[in-house]
Amino acid sequence: MGGWFSGTSDLFHIVVDPLGIMEWISRKMQVSLFLFFGRWGLPIPRRISVTLCAHVVQAEKKAAPTEEEVEALHQTVYGGMSRAFEEMRHFAGY
């Protein structure tokens, strides 16, 4: 089953550092650091409607599938997800 959620980027607000201090610290520590907040300035997500768009495909289990079979299943899953998104996107406001 393949799928994705829409609306998740509105759950939190990411703080933008205009001075570049967070970028400098991130580079020195070799880890990506960022600040975010949600409801009431806490790490609690905002109450936003999140929509799941999924496409279920039955796949036959094989010990050694060929490259063509893998590609065909990939097209079935992601092509179906694309069609499902286009059919249902107006419900999510897109």
Side-chain angles (χ1 to χ4, degrees), residues 61-89:
K61 185 174 181 177
K62 293 187 177 186
T66 64
E67 189 68 32
E68 292 81 21
E69 292 171 336
V70 171
E71 186 61 33
L73 183 60
H74 183 270
Q75 288 300 322
T76 302
V77 170
Y78 290 103
M81 282 177 33
S82 178
R83 283 189 302 278
F85 175 76
E86 291 299 326
E87 290 172 4
M88 301 296 182
R89 71 185 200 168

